[in-house]
Amino acid sequence: MKSTAQNCMLISTVIATGVFAASITIPGGLDDKSGKPNYLKKPPFLVFAISDAVAFISSTAAILIFLSILVSRYAESDFYKSLPLKLIFGLLVALFSSITSMMVTFASAFFITYYYDSNRVPIFISAFAFLPILLFIVLQFSLWCDIMYSTFYCKNIFKPDKSILYVLLVEM
């Protein structure tokens, strides 16, 4: 769990750094006279701005969730609910939404920048940009199933039961 949290925190930090840099370097540049973005009135720019903000906020939330896993006290009771729930929310909610928003940000920026000549290429590249989202789902599905199973379905497997079952071994 600790190494998973460290690796996911590293990825969340890289995403936060990238989308922060994307928010500063606006696609299409700024108007020299007014200082406003050139494509401010176009719908793809609104998609870019919203998805960039969502990516930054969710990746920052993922960093904080994974940091809370790393600085946890690691008591035995924490492994029943607290740590698996933090890993579920960090991995599946915050990290997944930051990856999805980052890819939407990339697709909209690519669409804004290269829509001039042909509309087929930017649409194809923008659609192809959603492949990492599908890969994340496919590659992390088994981890998600294991966490869900061990957290919610096997919650009493390691807790002592009030009734004790005695098994008599019969000698042959």
Side-chain angles (χ1 to χ4, degrees):
M1 183 172 291
K2 199 171 188 177
S3 67
T4 302
Q6 285 175 342
N7 293 331
C8 290
M9 188 173 165
L10 176 69
I11 297 303
S12 299
T13 306
V14 169
I15 292 171
T17 305
V19 296
F20 181 76
S23 68
I24 293 173
T25 56
I26 298 171
L30 299 174
D31 187 19
D32 291 333
K33 295 178 184 175
S34 65
K36 293 180 181 178
N38 288 328
Y39 298 112
L40 186 61
K41 303 290 184 187
K42 300 206 180 233
F45 187 79
L46 181 64
V47 171
F48 169 80
I50 291 172
S51 62
D52 191 60
V54 169
F56 184 73
I57 291 168
S58 61
S59 63
T60 305
I63 291 169
L64 294 175
I65 291 170
F66 293 127
L67 183 64
S68 72
I69 291 173
L70 292 175
V71 298
S72 179
R73 57 190 174 107
Y74 292 104
E76 184 179 347
S77 61
D78 290 343
F79 285 97
Y80 292 129
K81 283 280 188 192
S82 175
L83 290 175
L85 284 177
K86 287 178 185 178
L87 190 60
I88 288 170
F89 284 119
L91 187 65
L92 300 176
V93 176
L95 189 59
F96 176 73
S97 64
S98 67
I99 290 172
T100 304
S101 301
M102 177 187 63
M103 294 314 294
V104 170
T105 301
F106 167 75
S108 62
F110 193 87
F111 193 82
I112 290 168
T113 306
Y114 297 106
Y115 190 67
Y116 300 113
D117 296 337
S118 169
N119 61 356
R120 290 183 183 175
V121 174
I123 290 172
F124 176 73
I125 296 296
S126 298
F128 195 62
F130 291 97
L131 180 65
I133 298 168
L134 295 174
L135 281 172
F136 182 80
I137 292 170
V138 169
L139 295 174
Q140 298 301 322
F141 186 73
S142 63
L143 176 63
W144 180 76
C145 288
D146 289 343
I147 294 170
M148 295 297 282
Y149 182 75
S150 67
T151 303
F152 297 112
Y153 298 114
C154 295
K155 62 183 176 183
N156 295 327
I157 196 168
F158 297 112
K159 291 184 180 178
D161 196 10
K162 291 182 181 177
S163 62
I164 298 174
L165 178 65
Y166 292 98
V167 178
L168 298 174
L169 298 175
V170 180
E171 293 183 16
M172 293 188 163

